[in-house]
Amino acid sequence: MSEQATTGGVAAVDDVEEALRDVVDPELGINVVDLGLVYGLTVDESNVAIIDMTLTSAACPLQDVIEDQIRTSTSSLVADFRVNWVWMPPWGPDKITDDGREQLRALGFNV
């Protein structure tokens, strides 16, 4: 359990979002925030992060891998997390941040 969870504090959404930048899409090698996969993020009064996110495709078999990475990256900030997998609107390249586009270009993608 995190220090914030044991002291009764609630993590700041910005801190949790920053931690999610350590969660990397295994196929593309870019973090889920800059890929535009995180659609919404809140932290409730119990210090549980509620993450609305999608994947690059509904058939993506890497949901468990991504959830494990989320657990690891947020464990020092929140008591727990819940992912609401969202499929509407569908993810598209238009959701990628400018930083994500730069990272993809560095990997040789034309975006």
Side-chain angles (χ1 to χ4, degrees):
M1 194 174 287
S2 74
E3 178 182 330
Q4 284 164 320
T6 58
T7 61
V10 174
V13 169
D14 288 347
D15 291 342
V16 177
E17 181 178 304
E18 188 61 33
L20 290 175
R21 291 183 188 281
D22 291 337
V23 178
V24 175
D25 180 283
E27 293 177 314
L28 294 174
I30 306 298
N31 74 72
V32 297
V33 174
D34 286 327
L35 270 179
L37 299 177
V38 177
Y39 285 2
L41 172 61
T42 59
V43 179
D44 72 13
E45 65 279 350
S46 300
N47 202 30
V48 174
I50 296 108
I51 306 160
D52 294 332
M53 71 179 293
T54 194
L55 297 170
T56 54
S57 76
C60 179
L62 300 169
Q63 224 169 302
D64 291 342
V65 172
I66 289 173
E67 285 186 1
D68 287 344
Q69 288 186 49
I70 292 170
R71 182 173 292 103
T72 300
S73 71
T74 63
S75 65
S76 66
L77 295 171
V78 296
D80 202 359
F81 72 93
R82 184 175 72 240
V83 176
N84 296 322
W85 295 105
V86 179
W87 306 111
M88 287 303 203
W91 179 86
D94 60 304
K95 307 249 190 294
I96 302 171
T97 67
D98 289 341
D99 285 346
R101 289 179 192 284
E102 285 182 34
Q103 294 170 54
L104 285 168
R105 284 186 198 106
L107 293 172
F109 289 93
N110 185 17
V111 289

